[in-house]
Amino acid sequence: MQEIREWYPLESSPEVFTSMARAWGLPERYSFVDVLGLDPELLSLVARPVHAIVLLFPDTPEIVKRRTEEGPCAPVEPGDEPLWIPQVGVGHSCGTFAMIHAFAQLGLAPKLNDFFAACRATTATERTRLFAECDLIRDTHNGSVTAGQTVLRDTDWDDADHFLSFVQAEVDGETRLFELDGNEPRTGPLDRGKSTDLLQDTARVIRDVYLPGAGDNVHFSVMALVG
């Protein structure tokens, strides 16, 4: 599948992500908000409950190395949860993938219910095709590329950072934290361990895994879906 140039990177903006989610049926009580920092004081400012976390991070060589050494990822077969879709041949759609992965787990995007049902019933490769061919997803993404405050530049195609999401899911009666990322080196959902607080547990992963590999790069952003 050839890369579709129309999938330009999204701005890491709660307004942009919330607007996109509204197009998919997200109820008004829910919205994305910025997480201003990872220390306990700043985390305490985030409204509760928190349903999902979206992380934007730089693909530095050290972060890529750390991510490549992690795993194994959970299996990906029809019916497996949480739902996972590989991001292949759809440009810089990782911001949209982060939301799609989260809403598949949460059930808060009712206009995508048929899409999620079709994905759950088929293979990982076929899910990518369903994603690329879903008019509602593609049109919402492309219509949101210029909706933020950032000026779109040609260099954004080559210099884009990467989005992924974190959600909780039940495994054998235990709540686990899952990192959901359709891009390599991930081959499925990554189980980050037992989870009692989604925001706190995700902040720990970001501090322990992602920040140490960033060096002087400060291209990080964290958003929470609250409501």
Side-chain angles (χ1 to χ4, degrees):
M1 184 184 299
Q2 281 191 321
E3 254 188 351
I4 303 172
R5 191 74 175 184
E6 61 188 349
W7 295 93
Y8 260 79
L10 296 176
E11 178 181 330
S12 182
S13 157
E15 292 76 20
V16 170
F17 276 57
T18 299
S19 176
M20 291 179 66
R22 293 273 186 262
W24 301 333
L26 180 70
E28 289 294 327
R29 61 174 285 192
Y30 301 98
S31 61
F32 285 93
V33 299
D34 281 319
V35 177
L36 300 178
L38 301 177
D39 60 272
E41 292 77 14
L42 291 174
L43 292 178
S44 70
L45 300 177
V46 179
R48 302 299 182 104
V50 174
H51 304 280
I53 302 293
V54 173
L55 168 67
L56 176 71
F57 66 93
D59 270 333
T60 66
E62 181 59 27
I63 289 179
V64 171
K65 179 176 180 293
R66 286 169 177 259
R67 281 163 49 83
T68 302
E69 292 171 349
E70 291 182 310
C73 294
V76 179
E77 300 292 342
D80 285 342
E81 296 291 341
L83 178 67
W84 182 81
I85 307 171
Q87 181 189 335
V88 180
V90 279
H92 291 296
S93 53
C94 55
T96 296
F97 263 87
M99 283 194 288
I100 292 296
H101 278 137
F103 287 129
Q105 178 66 20
L106 299 172
L108 294 176
K111 293 183 180 181
L112 293 177
N113 282 349
D114 289 345
F115 165 77
F116 290 139
C119 285
R120 286 187 165 93
T122 192
T123 63
T125 301
E126 183 67 8
R127 293 171 188 176
T128 303
R129 184 189 66 79
L130 292 173
F131 176 95
E133 294 180 357
C134 179
D135 291 340
L136 181 56
I137 293 175
R138 183 182 61 251
D139 293 348
T140 303
H141 175 102
N142 293 330
S144 300
V145 167
T146 58
Q149 298 179 357
T150 301
V151 176
L152 190 63
R153 304 165 302 175
D154 289 339
T155 54
D156 292 335
W157 187 265
D158 297 317
D159 298 338
D161 297 316
H162 188 62
F163 287 101
L164 54 77
S165 56
F166 294 88
V167 298
Q168 290 176 320
E170 295 294 318
V171 178
D172 297 330
E174 183 176 72
T175 301
R176 311 285 293 183
L177 176 68
F178 280 92
E179 179 182 303
L180 299 173
D181 178 9
N183 210 5
E184 292 182 349
R186 298 291 182 253
T187 58
L190 182 63
D191 187 341
R192 290 288 187 183
K194 183 178 179 180
S195 179
T196 57
D197 185 298
L198 174 59
L199 182 60
Q200 297 280 358
D201 295 334
T202 300
R204 171 184 49 79
V205 172
I206 297 171
R207 288 194 302 263
D208 293 350
V209 177
Y210 286 92
L211 290 181
D216 295 330
N217 195 312
V218 294
H219 291 180
F220 281 89
S221 174
V222 182
M223 292 182 287
L225 177 66
V226 302

